[in-house]
Amino acid sequence: MTLTESAPAAPARRPAAAPAPVRARRLPSVKTVIVAASAYLVAFVFLFPYLVMILTALRPQEELREATFLPTTFAWSNFTNFWTGGLAQNLGVTLQVAAGSTVLVLLVALPAAYYTARHEFRGRTAFLVLVLITQMFQPTAMLVGIYREFFQFGLVDTVWSLILVNGGFNLAFAVWILNAYFSSIPRELEEAAFIDGNGRFGALFRVTLPLAMPGVVTALIFTFIAAWNEFVVALTLTTTPSNQPLTVALNSFIGQYQVDWQNLFAGSVIATIPVIILFALIERKVVGGLTAGSIK
């Protein structure tokens, strides 16, 4: 570099950016605090019986009549007795009945709801009203007829009888839920699928059914829970202890002069866990299915 040449000028430094002002955190309003406190209170009221049930299930038999809230020793054997006492087989029967009833309801309700939602045929309204009327009949009011019918077909004391009864009594609710959801899906989506070369079944399985999945999940979870918790019909149609669902088997802990509370509550806790897990996994879609058709 010669003396006449000047050195390259250093790049000008930009002034450092001023730090962003720290915003003071706003306190929630009084209305928000009241609503949140009320929500927590309601949740506590609903969850407290389950907490008592769990703590009672962990109590030894000699501490059942004590007034303490927490047991001094935790009897985990109450839960292990559930499996060694043969109730695991009853839990399997309950799973078969609930799953079988749910599959049966979906197989019948899906085409019925889809057809009534997409076709204006004579007697459509009467059909839907008739389906709704069937919800007025309780299984307890028809126990004698139900037992006699299954006795003639040789299905008494079988899992199939419970599947058919639970599926029949939950079918009307599933048809109404799915009909409302199919009606909320625009027909133009299926017509576009027809233009793309899909037939009726192709449009149903590729377009309509995926969009109607929240309604399908809603019908699934309500049918599953109703079949899982059913007691009266199962008590009437089953006589062999190994063929009884868990709701009936737990009744054996209630004797004429005493109640085996710790084992009864331990079995109740185990029976509640699968339903809670299932509902937690698909809770978002259940809300969407229940609100189907409310917004036009």
Side-chain angles (χ1 to χ4, degrees):
M1 180 182 297
T2 60
L3 296 176
T4 58
E5 295 179 354
S6 58
R13 294 183 179 180
R14 295 181 179 180
V22 180
R23 295 181 179 180
R25 186 176 180 181
R26 296 180 59 184
L27 295 177
S29 61
V30 178
K31 180 180 179 180
T32 303
V33 173
I34 294 176
V35 171
S38 302
Y40 282 112
L41 179 61
V42 172
F44 176 78
V45 170
F46 279 95
L47 293 178
F48 184 75
Y50 292 96
L51 177 61
V52 174
M53 182 174 65
I54 294 174
L55 293 177
T56 306
L58 293 173
R59 284 182 181 273
Q61 186 175 5
E62 58 272 10
E63 296 185 17
L64 289 177
R65 297 184 180 275
E66 294 185 5
T68 57
F69 184 72
L70 295 175
T72 55
T73 58
F74 293 94
W76 298 101
S77 59
N78 295 334
F79 289 92
T80 58
N81 292 337
F82 179 89
W83 307 104
T84 59
L87 291 179
Q89 186 173 0
N90 301 110
L91 179 61
V93 173
T94 303
L95 286 171
Q96 294 178 26
V97 172
S101 302
T102 303
V103 172
L104 178 62
V105 166
L106 292 180
L107 288 177
V108 179
L110 279 173
Y114 178 76
Y115 189 86
T116 54
R118 286 292 184 260
H119 296 84
E120 296 288 343
F121 56 92
R122 180 178 297 179
R124 174 178 176 271
T125 304
F127 171 76
L128 292 175
V129 172
L130 182 63
V131 170
L132 185 62
I133 290 176
T134 59
Q135 287 291 95
M136 300 171 58
F137 299 99
Q138 295 297 323
T140 53
M142 298 182 288
L143 279 177
V144 176
I146 292 174
Y147 183 86
R148 182 177 180 181
E149 182 177 357
F150 283 107
F151 180 80
Q152 291 177 349
F153 285 99
L155 293 176
V156 174
D157 201 20
T158 61
V159 176
W160 288 107
S161 62
L162 301 180
I163 292 176
L164 292 174
V165 172
N166 285 284
F169 279 102
N170 291 285
L171 183 61
F173 175 81
V175 170
W176 268 91
I177 286 291
L178 293 174
N179 177 75
Y181 212 92
F182 283 136
S183 299
S184 66
I185 299 176
R187 297 172 181 263
E188 290 76 10
L189 296 177
E190 293 183 359
E191 294 174 356
F194 296 156
I195 296 175
D196 292 338
N198 293 285
R200 175 66 65 178
F201 288 99
L204 173 62
F205 287 102
R206 295 180 182 179
V207 178
T208 308
L209 201 57
L211 294 175
M213 194 54 62
V216 175
V217 171
T218 303
L220 182 150
I221 188 64
F222 275 87
T223 303
F224 188 90
I225 292 177
W228 184 277
N229 295 329
E230 203 284 320
F231 172 76
V232 178
V233 175
L235 179 64
T236 305
L237 294 181
T238 56
T239 55
T240 306
S242 59
N243 293 336
Q244 294 175 339
L246 189 58
T247 52
V248 180
L250 290 177
N251 192 50
S252 62
F253 292 115
I254 303 176
Q256 184 176 1
Y257 300 104
Q258 64 179 5
V259 179
D260 195 357
W261 291 109
Q262 69 278 14
N263 290 324
L264 176 63
F265 281 7
S268 301
V269 170
I270 295 175
T272 307
I273 292 175
V275 178
I276 294 177
I277 295 176
L278 177 63
F279 192 83
L281 292 175
I282 58 180
E283 177 266 339
R284 294 181 179 179
K285 291 188 177 181
V286 171
V287 175
L290 288 176
T291 56
S294 59
I295 301 177
K296 298 294 184 181

